[in-house]
């Protein structure tokens, strides 16, 4: 199947998806058919902050029509923050939508995790990932630290790179969630957090939202159902 990605939100997230898809299809010995269109990260973050779902859906709809013209069979959004309007978008999308939140929810059900720390944008953290996770408690940073994490994440996503100060903010928040709030794992509630945390070196278990989404895209494109 021909994969359509809405990328650019942010650039590092798009690169993360692209590299993982290339590796997965190479491992499967299958040709990768992929088209990527560009959405603007600052525009998304402004619409997210304003709660303007209609404006973001209009952008997605226009870009997805372009993907359909290119021959894509389905569309996926390479941004967790970009899923704030996903239900509205799914209702009008020119292509079937493979959304990230369903993949995350299914993973949590499979693993049996019950208390998970959450980092990402303010909306992701305050809504506990848009209220879509029913089988576990998502725990965001407390007090002023939530706003500090949001500001660092927004700057990192727009730049496509992480500074030492931003890295320190995310790691301090993760340590607090793990050591003081007793979470079992840390959810990377922003795709660009892959610039900071890696499963091979992390001192605590990770719920890699982008990785789960890529896995779902690969399985769908190759016609292989994910395990239940």
């Amino acid at each position: 199947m021909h994969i359509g990605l809405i990328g650019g939100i942010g650039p590092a997230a798009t690169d993360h998806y692209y590299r993982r898809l290339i590796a997965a299809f190479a491992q499967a010995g299958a040709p990768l058919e992929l088209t990527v269109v560009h959405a603007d990260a600052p525009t998304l973050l402004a619409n997210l902050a304003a709660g303007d779902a209609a404006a973001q859906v209009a952008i997605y709809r226009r870009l997805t029509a372009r993907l359909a013209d290119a021959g894509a069979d389905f569309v996926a959004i390479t941004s967790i923050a970009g899923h704030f309007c996903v239900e509205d978008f799914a209702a009008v999308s020119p292509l079937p939508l493979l959304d990230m939140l369903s993949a995350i929810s299914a993973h949590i059900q499979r693993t049996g995790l019950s208390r998970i720390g959450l980092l990402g944008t303010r909306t992701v953290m305050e809504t506990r990932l848009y209220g879509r996770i029913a089988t576990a408690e998502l725990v965001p940073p407390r007090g002023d630290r939530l706003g500090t994490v949001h500001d660092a994440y927004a700057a990192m996503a727009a730049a496509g790179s992480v500074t030492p100060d931003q890295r320190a903010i995310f790691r301090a928040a993760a340590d607090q969630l793990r050591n003081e709030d007793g979470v079992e794992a840390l959810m990377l509630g922003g795709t660009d957090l892959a610039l900071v945390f890696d499963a091979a070196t992390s001192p605590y278990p990770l719920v890699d939202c982008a990785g789960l989404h890529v896995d779902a895209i690969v399985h769908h494109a190759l016609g292989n159902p994910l395990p239940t």
Side-chain angles (χ1 to χ4, degrees):
M1 298 181 76
H2 185 150
I3 301 167
L5 293 184
I6 297 178
I9 41 178
T14 308
D15 179 70
H16 183 67
Y17 271 70
Y18 190 29
R19 290 177 185 275
R20 289 189 67 146
L21 286 169
I22 290 171
F25 274 79
Q27 184 176 15
L32 173 60
E33 293 190 66
L34 171 68
T35 299
V36 183
V37 291
H38 177 77
D40 180 58
T43 300
L44 166 67
L45 292 172
N47 288 335
L48 176 64
D52 194 345
Q56 194 62 41
V57 166
I59 292 169
Y60 288 162
R61 190 173 184 177
R62 172 175 54 81
L63 293 175
T64 304
R66 192 179 302 166
L67 289 170
D69 288 342
D73 294 298
F74 66 96
V75 61
I77 301 167
T78 63
S79 165
I80 298 170
H83 277 68
F84 83 100
C85 57
V86 70
E87 292 180 352
D88 292 339
F89 172 53
V92 299
S93 174
L95 291 173
L97 172 68
L98 192 66
D99 83 277
M100 183 188 298
L101 302 181
S102 295
I104 297 167
S105 181
H107 171 79
I108 291 172
Q109 286 183 295
R110 287 195 301 269
T111 57
L113 292 168
S114 61
R115 186 171 170 83
I116 305 169
L118 175 61
L119 300 180
T121 63
R122 181 183 298 277
T123 305
V124 162
M125 293 185 289
E126 289 183 339
T127 63
R128 274 65 170 176
L129 203 63
Y130 311 119
R132 287 278 298 274
I133 306 302
T135 60
E137 180 185 7
L138 301 188
V139 184
R142 290 180 273 117
D144 293 342
R145 181 160 271 163
L146 187 148
T148 302
V149 166
H150 167 82
D151 291 344
Y153 185 82
M156 178 180 69
S161 59
V162 62
T163 67
D165 286 346
Q166 290 163 354
R167 190 183 301 274
I169 287 169
F170 297 130
R171 289 184 170 171
D175 288 342
Q176 182 188 64
L177 289 167
R178 179 68 167 169
N179 299 327
E180 298 180 25
D181 295 315
V183 302
E184 303 164 273
L186 178 68
M187 179 179 287
L188 305 184
T191 312
D192 296 270
L193 287 168
L195 294 169
V196 183
F197 299 99
D198 179 77
T201 58
S202 173
Y204 22 71
L206 300 178
V207 177
D208 179 2
C209 297
L212 294 170
H213 197 203
V214 171
D215 288 345
I217 292 168
V218 171
H219 281 268
H220 185 71
L222 294 178
N224 301 322
L226 282 167
T228 57

